[in-house]
Amino acid sequence: MTTRFSPGEPSDWEFHIVAPDGTIRTEFDEAHGQRGHLIVVRRDLTRFQHLHPTLENDGTWRVEAFTLPDPGIYRAFLDLMIDGRPITLGFDIFAAGPLEVAARPETARHATTAEYHVELSSNEVSAGETTELTFEICRSGDRVSRLDSYLGALGHLVALREGDLAYLHIHPEETSPDSGRVKFGAEFPTPGRYRLFLQSKPEGTLITTKHDVRIDN
């Protein structure tokens, strides 16, 4: 499997999933409309991609025109469902070149993209306990009137812990699509700084926003 890429240059990327007995796995269940979800983040948590590789009959996974936009070390997480059991595989990939790292805030609950403003609200967040995270999505100061489904849900949330990149892929609770809100029940395993990547589809526009939380206890 190729793990080194030239930044900014697209290439077709292929890989296989090998079973413990050394054979190539060819059968995977669907989860949220896809047989594989590939999450790629740079290790400083400033770059994020959510991709869906295609699966060939011989077990070859393929991502067409795969691109790492900037130099750095990236972590790839492949979410799979095998025999009804969720499995996440993680591995590093690399893009050579000088690395520029911007400082991140301790906390950031507001984010703006594509004319939409997203605000995170929650009760006190403690490690090891389920916390309700609510994201309110507004446009021009008003809550949006419609959230469309993306991959079978009103939102998807990926949480990564700073440092070791402990990974959570969280799916939302049931909410009304006309509420302008999407809610998640999340349990963070330990204290630390986490970056949250929310994907939602207000009024038919797929957006990704970044939010930062710090858990002290």
Side-chain angles (χ1 to χ4, degrees), residues 147-164:
L147 286 174
D148 292 328
S149 177
Y150 173 57
L151 300 175
L154 295 184
H156 292 265
L157 186 67
V158 169
L160 291 161
R161 186 171 59 201
E162 182 182 69
D164 63 358

Side-chain angles (χ1 to χ4, degrees), residues 82-93:
I82 299 178
D83 297 332
R85 183 165 57 98
I87 294 176
T88 300
L89 304 175
F91 49 94
D92 284 339
I93 54 180

Side-chain angles (χ1 to χ4, degrees), residues 183-200:
K183 297 181 180 180
F184 300 84
E187 182 176 325
F188 298 94
T190 64
R193 292 177 65 197
Y194 290 79
R195 171 153 277 191
L196 314 180
F197 295 92
L198 170 71
Q199 290 190 287
S200 59

Side-chain angles (χ1 to χ4, degrees), residues 8-178:
E9 296 185 11
S11 62
D12 292 341
W13 186 26
E14 298 181 355
F15 52 87
H16 300 91
I17 306 301
V18 180
D21 63 3
T23 60
I24 294 175
R25 180 84 190 194
T26 60
E27 297 293 331
F28 300 86
D29 304 330
E30 275 199 6
H32 301 281
Q34 301 287 337
R35 284 187 288 180
H37 296 263
L38 180 64
I39 307 297
V40 180
V41 294
R42 201 167 74 173
R43 277 194 164 270
D44 64 351
L45 301 179
T46 60
R47 304 289 185 270
F48 174 90
Q49 298 181 64
H50 182 173
L51 308 170
H52 301 109
T54 58
L55 178 64
E56 306 292 336
N57 291 334
D58 65 355
T60 299
W61 291 90
R62 179 175 290 109
V63 185
E64 295 184 355
F66 177 71
T67 307
L68 294 179
D70 302 295
I73 302 174
Y74 292 74
R75 187 70 173 169
F77 300 92
L78 184 61
D79 281 344
L80 304 168
M81 185 75 70
I82 299 178
D83 297 332
R85 183 165 57 98
I87 294 176
T88 300
L89 304 175
F91 49 94
D92 284 339
I93 54 180
F94 308 88
L99 177 62
E100 297 181 6
V101 178
R104 291 193 296 109
E106 284 290 311
T107 60
R109 294 176 177 255
H110 302 265
T112 299
T113 184
E115 300 183 356
Y116 293 96
H117 179 78
V118 182
E119 180 178 357
L120 164 64
S121 62
S122 65
N123 298 324
E124 182 178 349
V125 182
S126 297
E129 299 179 1
T130 300
T131 300
E132 184 176 275
L133 305 174
T134 301
F135 295 87
E136 184 174 271
I137 303 168
C138 297
R139 184 180 185 186
S140 302
D142 296 319
R143 196 181 307 152
V144 298
S145 61
R146 187 183 82 252
L147 286 174
D148 292 328
S149 177
Y150 173 57
L151 300 175
L154 295 184
H156 292 265
L157 186 67
V158 169
L160 291 161
R161 186 171 59 201
E162 182 182 69
D164 63 358
L165 301 190
Y167 170 85
L168 301 172
H169 190 172
I170 309 159
H171 300 289
E173 300 174 355
E174 291 290 333
T175 54
S176 171
D178 58 5

